[in-house]
Amino acid sequence: MKKVPTSRVDKLLGSMGYGSRTEIARLGKVGGIVLDGADLTDVSKRIPVTPDLPSRMEIDGEPLDPVPGLVILLNKPLGMTCSHKEDGALVYDVLPERWRRRDPAVSTIGRLDKQTSGLLLLTDDGDLLHRVISPKKHVAKVYRATLARPLVGTEGPLFEQGGLVLEGEDKPLAPAHLEVLSPTEARLTVTEGRYHMVRRMFAAVGNHVEALHRERLGGLTLRDDLPPGEWRLLDQAEIDAIFGGS
Ligand code: URA
């Protein structure tokens, strides 16, 4: 069984962006921290850090944020960048402001281009992040691409056999699966995560991607009940599903 981590309350809340240790000590003194219905005034107390803590702890009258080890599913809208430091709209802007001060930081699992929409995961769990993006895990990524020109019919077999070399690279691509949806629309399943990969694959066959949307990652599918720009936390079964259904 996994050992439950414990933490001092001030250290835990500090790492979740609630303030400095001094600020958290002050908050505890004025009754701003409640655990299991009782004021917690001694912030040096060690407590087990369990996923149910947000339902048992209140900070300034609000449920505690999710404890470290969170995974977020975001329906990324067009126009947002997957970066902590670029100018313009960032995917992190959709999360509560306090979450920017979390340590470990919340980061995207891989990236989607500014002009790509759809399923994007974010996490503060570095091990999980590396497992999802590791080429060895072969986690499938499914994209719906709208193309500038009609498909000619040779793209599917070419992608399927693998070995295509993208411009500026020398390592051949792994096999990818193409499903034709209409003359100018296709669903492409890839297991790698190279820079601008889908756009460059279609560029390699003389086409141009006009719109790109990620529908699926492993066994996780983006559903209609999560509109663009909205996010939700994944539960453990959903996290496990990332590695299934490939
Ligand atoms: N391939 C691309 O070209 N862009 C993305 O955002 C994802 C995959």
Side-chain angles (χ1 to χ4, degrees), residues 76 111-117 141 143 190 192-201 209 212 214:
K76 179 190 173 294
R111 289 180 173 210
L112 291 179
D113 301 336
K114 189 172 177 183
Q115 291 311 335
T116 300
S117 58
K141 295 142 195 100
Y143 297 90
V190 300
E192 299 172 280
R194 302 196 203 182
Y195 182 67
H196 288 175
M197 181 168 165
V198 176
R199 295 176 198 275
R200 290 163 72 214
M201 285 174 75
V209 172
L212 191 59
R214 182 152 70 187

Side-chain angles (χ1 to χ4, degrees), residues 27-45:
L27 189 65
K29 286 220 171 68
V30 298
I33 305 175
V34 173
L35 178 61
D36 295 328
D39 284 356
L40 191 150
T41 49
D42 176 12
V43 294
S44 70
K45 185 180 157 80

Side-chain angles (χ1 to χ4, degrees), residues 33 69 73 95 97 118-119 132 134 166 168 177 200 205 238 241:
I33 305 175
L73 169 66
L95 301 175
E97 199 267 337
L119 193 161
V132 178
S134 164
L166 295 176
H177 178 69
R200 290 163 72 214
V205 293
E238 292 174 307

Side-chain angles (χ1 to χ4, degrees), residues 225-238:
D225 56 0
L226 195 66
E230 303 261 310
W231 59 273
R232 64 178 180 82
L233 291 172
L234 294 188
D235 62 27
Q236 192 55 50
E238 292 174 307

